């Protein structure tokens, strides 16, 4: 599945500066149809800026943007969406107090009738939202259920299903698993694969290598605003990916401390937690 | 890849054991208007018992209640749409005064300081003015990004003040009468102020306008894409905009709708009272908001119904009429209405919490 075909979306040597701040520099990445490209990076690695460049929010200061082989310059997120580049943000663009079917078709409501009798085709909207979610393996019992009653994973899944239904060719997912529990994250990962299997190019942004590894065909690792590594799955075992994410030296320190802590028997758990916290904050500082 | 599963052959996930069957009653409870309908029945029963000797449960009293509810109800329906869309309009009461006075100044004899027009052109001009005020309110809210509460609080005073100042400047009065002597009054009277006798009680035709507008607003909310936009704009304007909803256009249209409702009530009252008063419509902005909130619409937007506002206005008028008919001092009316408002808001919050957990 990987390794052939022209990229659906590609950026070459893209940089984005905000005044004197270099948010990202010389970043290249691509995604092909029916593949998942994973953008990995810790806090402050430039993920958010890169998403906004890809989604059409920011124009790159330098570099080139290609869509379907053509140089592209999206004027707005709406423009990108019209071309088939859909972005699902962490805040989801879902309205909690509205029913699932109302959310699903918000902004693109199907209508029937004409003139003053033109009306929202409610039956079609309800049926379609149920069947589209069904195709993604999401079982919505009642389309009148409000989105507020769905779990975080279900909401992400509805957002993905909606983007797929409205003809997304490229789906950009901004940390869709970040706020979720293990099981919920697994559900979302499943839908990412579903979308990929339907021939969509998925750009999956995350800081969690364990979420990235099972679904990605291709990894782009960002550190401090630049590309630190660019690998296909075959080239990169999980252990190495985890190590690269954290930065090798820091991880070795972490490992030693963890091992030492676990030898200390009963109280080990407390020490472990403390150490993990300490290392975590150090890593954060490093990332910034 | 082993993780692949064809979507069509994927087994349906087993239904979640944590999902329980929800009874019909609690399903019903999450409709926004249910509280107001129940409240209407309860309050009617209360007055029917307390004021039985005063003939509360009669056709004449019923007509008095509904006649009183109609103009407030017309305003409340529009305010409900706007509030579901996430905005307030405190200027609606002053639009009633402004539009009514515009009509009267235009038709008032030239020797009295007016223009001596016939009625229908004056009505048309008042309509145009009202729509312009609505457009101005909406545009100002969108352009400044300030809370509509503040913007329309400002325009409330501006247009009330203009109404009083201009009327006094031109006619040296604050009340203008004699609309019934103007040409075109007959048709307007039939359309906006005629009465229908049922069981010996007189029902005003404004009730038909009120019911018609409620039906229209309900249809728009629940069965048109614009209705979906109203819910979306009020629920989360940013998210709605990201989905391609024309939020600014929707909100401006809603401000023009409330202005239109203000104009309609002004016109009905000009014809009914054959004149206008600069203070007409005073406090109606608050009464309309109270009716809407009693009707189950959230102050924060994104949730509510026009039918709820309909019953909210009915409750309001019922309390008013009930207090008059029982002979209790009218001063107690405000106490009663304020209490109902607070109870309604507490009840609505409870219901919304239930809706969110359902």
């Amino acid at each position: 599945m990987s390794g052939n075909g022209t990229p659906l979306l590609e950026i070459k040597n893209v940089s984005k500066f905000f005044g004197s701040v270099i948010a990202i520099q010389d970043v290249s990445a691509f995604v092909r149809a029916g593949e998942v490209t994973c953008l990995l990076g810790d806090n402050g690695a430039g993920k958010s800026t890169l998403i906004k460049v890809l989604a059409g929010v920011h124009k790159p200061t330098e570099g080139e943007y290609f869509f379907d082989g053509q140089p592209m310059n999206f004027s707005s997120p709406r423009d990108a969406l019209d071309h088939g580049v859909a972005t699902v943000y962490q805040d989801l663009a879902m309205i909690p107090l509205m029913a699932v079917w109302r959310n699903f078709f918000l902004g693109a409501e199907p209508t029937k009738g004409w003139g003053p009798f033109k009306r929202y085709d409610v039956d079609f909207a309800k049926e379609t939202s149920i069947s589209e979610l069904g195709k993604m393996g999401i079982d919505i019992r009642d389309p009148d259920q409000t989105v507020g009653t769905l779990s975080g994973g279900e909401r992400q899944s509805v957002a993905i299903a909606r983007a797929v239904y409205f003809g997304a060719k490229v789906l950009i997912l901004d940390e869709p698993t970040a706020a979720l529990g293990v099981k919920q994250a697994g559900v979302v990962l499943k839908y990412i694969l579903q979308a990929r299997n339907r021939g969509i190019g998925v750009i999956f942004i995350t800081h969690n290598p364990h979420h990235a590894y099972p679904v990605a065909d291709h990894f782009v690792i960002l550190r401090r605003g630049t590309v630190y590594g660019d690998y296909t799955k075959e080239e990169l075992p999980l252990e190495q990916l985890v190590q690269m994410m954290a930065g090798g030296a820091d991880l070795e320190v972490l490992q030693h401390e963890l091992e030492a802590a676990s030898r200390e028997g009963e109280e080990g758990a407390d020490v472990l937690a403390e150490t993990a916290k300490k290392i975590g904050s150090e890593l954060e500082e490093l990332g910034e | 890849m082993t993780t692949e599963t064809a979507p069509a052959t994927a087994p349906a996930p087993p239904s979640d054991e944590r999902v329980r069957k929800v009874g019909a009653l609690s399903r019903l409870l999450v409709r926004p208007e249910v509280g107001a309908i129940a409240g209407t029945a309860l309050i009617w029963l209360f007055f029917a018992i307390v004021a039985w000797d005063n003939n509360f449960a009669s056709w004449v009293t019923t007509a008095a209640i509904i006649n009183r509810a109609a103009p407030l109800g017309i305003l409340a329906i529009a305010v409900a749409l706007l509030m579901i869309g996430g905005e307030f309009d405190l200027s609606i009461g002053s639009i009633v005064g402004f539009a009514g006075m515009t009509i009267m100044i235009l038709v008032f004899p030239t020797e009295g300081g007016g223009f001596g027009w016939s009625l229908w052109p004056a009505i048309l001009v008042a309509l145009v003015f009202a729509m312009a005020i609505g457009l101005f309110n909406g545009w100002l809210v969108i352009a400044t990004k300030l809370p509509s509460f503040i913007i329309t609080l400002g325009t409330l005073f501006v247009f009330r003040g203009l109404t009083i100042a201009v009327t006094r400047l031109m006619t040296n009065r604050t009340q203008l009468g004699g609309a019934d002597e103007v040409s075109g009054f007959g048709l307007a009277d039939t359309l906006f102020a005629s009465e229908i006798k049922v069981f010996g009680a007189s029902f005003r035709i404004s009730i038909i306008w009120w019911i018609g507008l409620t039906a229209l607003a309900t249809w728009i909310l629940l069965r048109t894409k614009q209705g979906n936009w109203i819910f979306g704009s009020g629920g989360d304007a940013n998210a709605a905009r990201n989905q391609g909803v024309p939020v600014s256009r929707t909100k401006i249209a809603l401000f023009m709708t409330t202005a239109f409702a203000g104009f309609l009530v002004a016109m009905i009252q000009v014809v009914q009272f054959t004149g206008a008063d600069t203070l007409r419509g005073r406090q109606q902005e608050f009464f309309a908001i109270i009716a809407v909130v009693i009707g189950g619409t959230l102050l924060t937007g994104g949730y509510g119904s026009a039918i709820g506002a309909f019953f909210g206005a009915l409750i309001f008028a019922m309390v008013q009429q009930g207090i008059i008919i029982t002979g209790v001092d009218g001063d107690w009316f405000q106490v009663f209405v304020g209490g109902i408002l607070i109870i309604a808001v507490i009840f609505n919050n409870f219901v919304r919490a239930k809706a969110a957990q359902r």
Side-chain angles (χ1 to χ4, degrees):
Chain A
M1 196 175 259
S2 54
N4 47 33
T6 51
L8 199 50
L9 189 156
E10 185 171 20
I11 48 170
K12 280 184 182 162
N13 309 106
V14 161
S15 303
K16 178 73 193 173
F17 311 135
F18 297 102
S20 61
V21 177
I22 300 166
I24 51 174
Q25 186 160 36
D26 214 13
V27 172
S28 299
F30 65 88
V31 66
R32 296 192 187 94
E35 278 192 13
V36 178
T37 293
C38 216
L39 290 174
L40 287 132
D42 218 322
N43 298 342
K47 294 193 303 275
S48 305
T49 307
L50 187 54
I51 292 161
K52 285 180 178 157
V53 169
L54 290 169
V57 178
H58 292 327
K59 284 191 179 55
T61 316
E62 288 168 5
E64 293 167 295
Y65 190 126
F66 296 94
F67 180 70
D68 236 349
Q70 302 295 315
M72 217 19 116
N73 198 354
F74 294 132
S75 59
S76 68
R78 187 76 230 174
D79 188 23
L81 194 60
D82 290 340
H83 281 83
V85 180
T87 308
V88 175
Y89 290 100
Q90 259 171 320
D91 61 13
L92 287 174
M94 286 268 172
I95 295 164
L97 282 167
M98 283 171 82
V100 171
W101 64 273
R102 285 189 175 275
N103 261 295
F104 197 94
F105 284 99
L106 183 62
E109 293 82 359
T111 53
K112 62 181 175 187
W114 55 272
F117 302 106
K118 196 162 156 183
R119 58 201 184 275
Y120 193 168
D121 194 342
V122 171
D123 296 330
F124 174 82
K126 286 185 182 177
E127 280 163 23
T128 309
S129 52
I130 288 188
S131 73
E132 281 303 310
L133 293 172
K135 276 186 212 165
M136 298 288 287
I138 310 161
D139 179 28
I140 293 291
R141 296 157 292 276
D142 174 8
D144 279 317
Q145 209 177 347
T146 59
V147 161
T149 64
L150 300 178
S151 69
E154 284 175 321
R155 284 190 216 187
Q156 286 286 354
S157 308
V158 173
I160 293 171
R162 179 171 65 181
V164 171
Y165 175 75
F166 284 107
K169 292 177 191 158
V170 174
L171 192 55
I172 302 168
L173 304 172
D174 179 14
E175 304 239 11
T177 57
L180 303 179
V182 178
K183 206 173 162 187
Q184 291 281 327
V187 170
V188 172
L189 294 179
K190 199 177 91 191
Y191 299 137
I192 291 175
L193 289 177
Q194 296 272 26
R196 184 202 65 182
N197 292 348
R198 293 172 77 168
I200 293 164
V202 181
I203 299 177
F204 173 27
I205 291 105
T206 183
H207 61 255
N208 189 330
H210 299 284
H211 290 165
Y213 202 77
V215 295
D217 298 297
H218 193 102
F219 303 94
V220 176
I221 298 151
L222 291 175
R223 273 186 90 178
R224 297 177 153 269
T226 57
V227 175
Y228 179 70
D230 184 338
Y231 302 93
T232 61
K233 193 168 192 165
E234 292 79 40
E235 295 170 341
L236 191 70
L238 176 60
E239 298 73 36
Q240 200 184 333
L241 177 66
V242 174
Q243 194 146 351
M244 292 182 74
M245 278 291 298
D250 300 300
L251 203 77
E252 268 167 42
V253 175
L254 175 71
Q255 244 166 7
H256 285 306
E257 291 194 24
L258 289 180
E259 278 163 20
S262 64
R263 275 195 296 272
E264 281 170 27
E266 280 232 34
E267 289 152 50
D270 295 342
V271 182
L272 200 80
E274 209 170 299
T275 313
K277 208 185 277 175
K278 198 177 96 193
I279 298 292
S281 61
E282 273 172 20
L283 286 178
E284 237 174 69
E285 275 166 36
L286 189 85
E288 278 156 18
Chain B
M1 204 159 284
T2 51
T3 42
E4 279 180 36
T5 42
T9 58
S15 63
D16 198 321
E17 73 279 4
R18 290 164 304 178
V19 175
R20 64 192 170 86
K21 287 270 174 240
V22 184
L25 182 69
S26 70
R27 260 170 178 281
L28 197 66
L29 267 180
V30 300
R31 294 289 320 146
E33 61 271 4
V34 171
I37 295 174
T40 306
L42 279 176
I43 289 169
W44 187 86
L45 214 62
F46 171 76
F47 279 114
I49 294 165
V50 171
W52 183 261
D53 296 337
N54 309 85
N55 250 345
F56 186 81
S58 68
W59 283 107
V60 174
T61 307
T62 306
I65 291 170
I66 302 179
N67 287 341
R68 193 181 277 278
L72 175 64
I74 291 170
L75 299 180
I77 297 304
V79 170
L81 293 184
L82 180 67
M83 268 171 67
I84 295 169
E87 302 291 344
F88 282 101
D89 187 357
L90 293 179
S91 72
I92 191 166
S94 70
I95 292 174
V96 173
F98 185 83
M101 246 335 158
T102 303
I103 296 174
M104 280 317 295
I105 289 175
L106 288 174
V107 300
F108 208 60
T110 41
E111 55 270 30
F115 289 85
W117 291 19
S118 65
L119 189 59
W120 285 97
I123 286 175
L124 194 70
V125 169
L127 172 65
V128 171
F129 278 8
M131 299 314 276
I133 295 172
L135 182 67
F136 178 70
N137 274 337
W139 171 79
L140 209 56
V141 167
I142 298 294
T144 62
K145 296 190 172 71
L146 286 169
S148 50
F149 191 89
I150 296 301
I151 298 283
T152 58
L153 185 62
T155 51
L156 159 68
F157 281 92
V158 168
F159 288 104
R160 178 65 72 195
L162 266 179
T163 307
I164 298 171
V166 171
T167 307
R168 226 200 285 270
L169 195 70
M170 293 184 69
T171 66
N172 218 9
R173 307 181 198 209
T174 56
Q175 287 178 320
L176 298 180
D180 49 341
E181 287 152 24
V182 179
S183 76
F185 183 79
L187 177 62
D189 190 53
T190 314
L191 282 176
F192 303 114
S194 54
E195 295 185 346
I196 303 156
K197 289 261 181 202
V198 183
F199 301 112
S202 301
F203 290 87
R204 288 200 192 113
I205 196 141
S206 50
I207 299 166
I208 307 279
W209 285 92
W210 176 35
I211 294 171
L213 283 177
T214 307
L216 181 66
T218 302
W219 185 72
I220 288 173
L221 270 180
L222 300 181
R223 286 293 176 270
T224 68
K225 64 178 179 184
Q226 285 78 10
N228 219 32
W229 296 350
I230 293 171
F231 280 113
S233 303
D236 185 341
N238 237 341
R241 208 171 267 128
N242 280 346
Q243 284 305 115
V245 173
V247 173
S248 303
R249 200 144 48 88
T250 303
K251 289 194 172 183
I252 289 173
L254 289 173
F255 277 107
M256 292 176 76
T257 306
T258 54
F260 175 79
F263 156 78
L264 185 60
V265 168
M267 181 171 56
I268 287 171
Q269 294 189 338
V270 162
V271 179
Q272 190 180 313
F273 302 125
T274 66
D277 186 320
T278 49
L279 293 182
R280 189 87 71 208
R282 207 161 59 113
Q283 289 197 330
Q284 292 298 313
E285 56 280 344
F286 295 113
F287 295 163
I289 290 174
I290 289 172
V292 169
V293 170
I294 291 175
T297 296
L298 281 183
L299 280 165
T300 44
Y303 185 80
S305 84
I307 295 174
F310 178 95
F311 282 98
L314 199 56
I315 287 179
F316 198 92
M318 205 182 279
V319 171
Q320 238 172 347
Q321 194 66 27
I323 282 174
I324 291 170
I325 206 171
T326 44
V328 176
D329 193 333
D331 298 344
W332 289 96
F333 168 69
Q334 298 193 19
V335 178
F336 212 109
V337 163
I340 290 180
L341 175 68
I342 291 169
I343 292 168
V345 172
I346 292 171
F347 179 77
N348 288 344
N349 267 355
F350 168 74
V351 165
R352 184 175 53 134
K354 262 200 107 84
Q357 293 162 2
R358 194 177 93 183

